[in-house]
Amino acid sequence: MKSAPKTFHVKSFGCQMNVYDGDRMAELMSAEGLVATDDAHAADLVVLNTCHIREKATEKVYSDIGRIRKEAGKRGGDPMIAVAGCVAQAEGVEIVRRAKVDVVVGPQAYHNLPGLVARAATGTSALDTDMPVDLKFGHLPARRRVSPSTFLTVQEGCDKFCTYCVVPYTRGAEVSRGRAQIVDEAKALVDAGARELTLLGQNVNAWEDDGKGLHDLIADLADIPALARIRYTTSHPNDMAQGLIEAHRDISKLMPFLHLPVQSGSDRVLKAMNRSHSRDSYLRLLDRVRAVRPDIALSGDFIVGFPGETEQDFAETLSLVDAVGYAQAFSFKYSPRPGTPAASMTDQIAPEVMDERLQRLQEALNRDQAAFNAATVGRTCDVLIERKGKLPGQFLGKSPWLHSVHIVGDLAIGDLVSVEITAAGPNSVTGVPKSGHEPLRESAHERNRAAA
Ligand code: 5AD
Ligand code: SF4
């Protein structure tokens, strides 16, 4: 039997929401008096906050459990292992059977982690994969110290049921957190040092409270004086409301960056994916966004090798990439997920075909990313300093367009500095601080609000 743990380590895989959840679980365990350690092999309790989106991510959990046990064992340790996140939700008791872990806790139940750990310390493995109507957020401790750029979950779950995707099953139906609770958490995060907030949701544009939409929430948050920047992710094209598009024109704290997954450029494939938008409706939507914010950096997600994808379908994806000119994007090989409709479709694509298509797609995306980066050279923009770089005096920050910017200067983490971009590489740019700091553009929206 394992005794009650005194130290813990949380390791998060996958999306930004998992990073947020991992931080919150760490805060929860700290509030219980456990001490965080960076060394996964020395902790009494290891929480693996897992991702189920593709098969590789799922299998990683099992290899990680084995490695942690082996390395800890070399030092005479036998850590308690808790599996959290989407694999916990999807596989539940199967994980206890296959890997003999102590705790399994789903993404909507992790506020119960301390109780589950206490139960596991009595020798019984403990499992909670409930999806309660009452959201976990009200049961989590306040946030104390945060980095300049911080995530804030405002919405969870997805009702879209794209035929390849496990998210509607692992994260559940769309639920929005209440506006007042979000604004309170945002203020606490800003008091704790955040200058940029990224609002998170599996389908964040579907956020709503009492008839208010995401753009109303963004406007509320823009009123927090010490908050300099707002971002949001991830968006579904069909929930991109006009108000949100206009917010990119009217709210200067809302950064000119939009992650809008499209997955494929072929209408035939989009239909089979149940994406409920077409190639053309997506392109027209981007035209409307660019009309209000011409410098917006666009990002997307792509899947190659969806069942039945022909060379012609794939050519349409490449031509969509050419038409958009993404600033950055993520691309994946299709991975059949148990229980999803696409997994049982005929015409699954051979792995070598997927490899070849992924390579071609990534070449096109890399080309556009390099071109976008190069086009910023000579521009001056605000950069939020997030951490120290590898070289002496070097810092790393983010541009409004989400570039990683390398700067050498007399700077501090959390500074928002005016920087001239002087050089661009494939994945980042370099800048020099301007002597006189240029003020942020004040928008009509903010003047009106100040006057009101
Ligand atoms: N196979 C490959 N990629 C997937 N994604 C979601 N499900 C799958 C799958 N079964 C990708 C989509 C989504 C991103 C988060 O992960 O592109 O937008
Ligand atoms: Fe998955 Fe996104 Fe489709 Fe929802 S909208 S089912 S999260 S891919």
Side-chain angles (χ1 to χ4, degrees):
M1 197 166 85
K2 281 166 193 160
S3 52
K6 295 190 176 63
T7 59
F8 74 95
H9 177 86
V10 180
K11 187 169 176 190
S12 287
F13 304 86
C15 66
Q16 291 159 326
M17 193 173 288
N18 259 13
V19 176
Y20 174 88
D21 289 342
D23 287 349
R24 307 252 31 198
M25 282 188 260
E27 288 155 3
L28 192 56
M29 299 319 289
S30 297
E32 292 290 313
L34 277 76
V35 178
T37 164
D38 287 339
D39 185 352
H41 304 136
D44 301 334
L45 165 69
V46 180
V47 181
L48 296 174
N49 191 23
T50 61
C51 174
H52 194 54
I53 198 98
R54 285 168 288 273
E55 190 182 359
K56 253 199 193 143
T58 302
E59 284 307 310
K60 202 164 176 340
V61 182
Y62 291 101
S63 54
D64 250 60
I65 293 170
R67 189 168 45 247
I68 288 163
R69 286 210 172 112
K70 193 167 150 218
E71 292 300 321
K74 282 187 197 161
R75 304 185 196 177
D78 181 17
M80 182 182 283
I81 294 185
V83 177
C86 291
V87 178
Q89 191 65 39
E91 303 208 341
V93 74
E94 172 67 15
I95 308 172
V96 180
R97 200 190 56 73
R98 186 169 158 192
K100 311 253 172 323
V101 299
D102 305 277
V103 173
V104 175
V105 63
Q108 308 308 353
Y110 66 72
H111 53 291
N112 296 327
L113 186 60
L116 296 165
V117 167
R119 185 148 25 112
T122 68
T124 335
S125 56
L127 180 135
D128 188 346
T129 51
D130 283 356
M131 292 207 179
V133 186
D134 177 22
L135 287 178
K136 63 201 169 231
F137 300 100
H139 305 277
L140 298 170
R143 321 213 45 192
R144 293 188 202 291
R145 249 205 6 248
V146 299
S147 46
S149 176
T150 297
F151 298 132
L152 170 53
T153 294
V154 303
Q155 183 278 342
E156 281 202 63
C158 182
D159 295 345
K160 295 280 188 267
F161 289 94
C162 299
T163 52
Y164 50 81
C165 186
V166 286
V167 167
Y169 311 98
T170 56
R171 288 275 172 173
E174 285 176 2
V175 193
S176 297
R177 287 179 75 184
R179 188 177 175 187
Q181 196 191 51
I182 295 168
V183 173
D184 283 350
E185 189 177 333
K187 284 181 179 157
L189 291 170
V190 171
D191 286 345
R195 303 207 68 191
E196 171 177 285
L197 291 178
T198 301
L199 310 182
L200 295 181
Q202 265 89 34
N203 186 13
V204 72
N205 299 19
W207 182 88
E208 60 94 28
D209 185 8
D210 204 15
K212 302 286 183 193
L214 186 64
H215 55 283
D216 300 303
L217 178 65
I218 291 170
D220 281 348
L221 297 176
D223 282 341
I224 301 174
L227 179 63
R229 295 173 154 194
I230 302 168
R231 303 180 185 275
Y232 61 94
T233 197
T234 287
S235 304
H236 189 283
N238 283 15
D239 290 322
M240 196 73 208
Q242 184 60 24
L244 185 56
I245 295 177
E246 287 169 6
H248 279 284
R249 177 192 64 204
D250 297 337
I251 303 179
S252 65
K253 289 184 181 182
L254 181 59
M255 291 295 99
F257 185 93
L258 176 61
H259 180 67
L260 200 63
V262 64
Q263 315 299 355
S264 168
S266 150
D267 280 336
R268 224 178 53 80
V269 173
L270 289 171
K271 193 151 188 282
M273 287 177 163
N274 191 33
R275 284 292 293 178
S276 63
H277 61 79
S278 66
R279 170 195 177 93
D280 191 51
S281 68
Y282 179 84
L283 289 172
R284 277 187 286 118
L285 176 58
L286 293 188
D287 286 343
R288 283 164 54 213
V289 176
R290 278 183 160 147
V292 301
R293 189 74 213 223
D295 72 332
I296 200 152
L298 295 169
S299 166
D301 288 345
F302 293 87
I303 295 176
V304 300
F306 185 80
E309 184 188 69
T310 62
E311 186 54 35
Q312 173 60 32
D313 292 320
F314 178 65
E316 286 172 25
T317 297
L318 290 179
S319 82
L320 179 130
V321 167
D322 289 347
V324 173
Y326 288 94
Q328 58 152 78
F330 302 94
S331 46
F332 311 100
K333 284 185 274 187
Y334 168 71
S335 170
R337 308 307 294 128
T340 59
S344 50
M345 287 178 183
T346 50
D347 296 342
Q348 300 282 326
I349 304 297
E352 55 278 12
V353 175
M354 288 203 220
D355 285 337
E356 192 264 343
R357 287 183 188 164
L358 186 69
Q359 202 186 336
R360 278 156 69 200
L361 176 59
Q362 290 186 341
E363 271 165 25
L365 293 169
N366 290 343
R367 172 204 67 202
D368 289 352
Q369 181 172 320
F372 189 90
N373 292 355
T376 60
V377 174
R379 292 187 72 156
T380 296
C381 63
D382 287 304
V383 172
L384 178 61
I385 306 298
E386 293 182 6
R387 57 190 169 90
K388 286 192 168 157
K390 288 196 185 111
L391 306 174
Q394 191 192 45
F395 288 84
L396 237 85
K398 291 275 163 50
S399 77
W401 310 287
L402 211 64
H403 293 111
S404 289
V405 188
H406 297 266
I407 313 167
V408 174
D410 184 15
L411 303 165
I413 291 166
D415 281 356
L416 192 64
V417 283
S418 183
V419 166
E420 184 182 338
I421 309 290
T422 51
N427 299 313
S428 64
V429 299
T430 306
V432 291
K434 301 277 275 191
S435 38
H437 185 75
E438 292 176 9
L440 288 166
R441 176 169 61 95
E442 190 197 10
S443 69
H445 168 83
E446 275 137 27
R447 273 199 304 279
N448 293 344
R449 285 201 150 223

